Amino acid sequence: MSAHRQQVRKKRQVLERVVDVVKVIGKRGLSYRHVENEAAYKWDDCTLDHGNFLELILVIGKYDVSLKEHLDECMKKSKELHASSGTKEVLDRLKLDKAMCIGNSTDGASNMQGQYRGFSALMASQSPTHVHVWCYAHVLNLVLADTTGSVLESGSLFSLLNDVAVFIKDSYQRVILWDNEAQDKSHRRLSPIGETRWGSKHEAVEKVFGHFGKPTNSLFLETVLTLAAIEQQANQKPTIRAKARGFKEGLLKYETVLTAQIFLRVFELTTPLSKYLQTKGMEILSAHRMVIATQDSLKKITRDFTTVKAAADTFVKWGNENLEEREGGADIEVETSLPQKRTKKKKNMAGEMAQDEALSDALRAYEVNVHHSILDTASEAIHRRFMTHGTLFADLACLDPRNFDNIKMTDLPHNALQDLSKCLVKFDSRATVENLQSELKNFAGQWDRLKASHMEEYNTRTVEDGSAGEEQETDIVNKSCASCRNCPLCCFQVLRQFNMLSDAYHILGLAYKYLLTLSLTQVACERTFSTLKFIKSRLRSTLSGDKLETFLLMATEKDVLMGLDSDMIIDRVAEKSELMRKLLL
């Protein structure tokens, strides 16, 4: 009791000093806080401006023993927390065993992918069998970046689309001209291309040129007519009119139309995959299967230039017919072919090696140098960036019930499930290749009988095509999977529902847990940072760490938030003070 009274006396003395400082600041009408440098671990740096309140407290603390002890204790705790935050020691502080890590998924930053000091290298030193997966969503974005920057024509297309969108958006008068020319009922606007928005390039091309071979829903006419109207305005500066004419002529080129159709075709294959890779609750085999399917689809069209040209011709015909009917569009025409370039033959001197002659036909040259190059880059980039951990994925594919018929009819290869066994044996020494193969063969033979039984309902997220009125659009939907009975999650649900995880198929159940736990993307983490911009706004820039974390969790984990029991929350509030206990309990 004596020690308690002494602690109370010290805290009251500290609070008295704080109250006096608040009174002085209030009396003088001064500001209390500074924009930055308020963290306690910075208080001992006298070169920083900590704000009026903290500066006065620190000055008094030099001559007041009780206040100095309190400030020293606060600085010590703050430095300890600051030193541990943002480092690998966080796992130790949370008592998470790094040796039990089965895998991680990160982006391509050097502090994550570094071979010697990166996060993955440090995790590999603690858990040698852990699987590092370069975030599939980031990898796909890099594939698209490789593709869109492979040739000069692709760079010209996206630069043109971005410049036109920014040019119209930057002036109120130009926006009015756009509204006057637009016949779009949904009042759409052109979209600038953002490097961090992975779907922005597809969105920009689709708005101006519509869907592949289907231009009816595009804003091409509105864009060209708006630029023509700006060009004809005598009260505009000559530089503005010249820009508008340059943008208009760029959009009317046949080369621009052809390049746009190429990328519309590519994006129709990659966008559904991109959307799926950005959802929660993905399963790695399904994602890998979608990657392989996308790669196969790209390979099938790598030399199909005829279909692209037909789509471009359809667009040109539609554009010219509609321009003739629109006011101010009679004098505007979309090019119907590529301009032929005169080739100059170089005379080879004696002893000089002959060089390949440039293609004389403009269309054939475009097909080889642009179309084939873009499609080859896309196909090669997917193969180069995604096809890692191939052997492990082959082992995991054996757990897919779609392959159970092959397992029942033919024996598994002697080296099957070896990589998977290496990953599981640290969790259970019985997870040998022989035991895994034995349990999988037995389970595959029993699967038809087991899946016929009643299964509990559960939901999964998947990609589906949009409605009939939304051509080529895809949606992420929640779908009941109880009637599926054809995916690894269904297999695990059967093992769990019929209590087979403990004895009958213990090792196989561990393999399914490993498969369903292994991460392949980290976009959910990055969405947290996007939410952070809304939580920590200009007016809430000095939130404490605890409050900021609480607000962030409430904004990101809405399902958990809405599931909290209100009575439990009220009981917790009532425990805060005697007055609250009297009022609420």
Side-chain angles (χ1 to χ4, degrees), residues 473-487:
E473 292 293 327
T474 56
D475 296 317
I476 308 298
V477 297
N478 289 319
K479 187 176 181 181
S480 175
C481 198
S483 58
C484 165
R485 294 176 170 82
N486 204 30
C487 68

Side-chain angles (χ1 to χ4, degrees), residues 42 264 308 401 420:
K42 296 181 179 180
L264 284 174
V308 174
L420 181 58

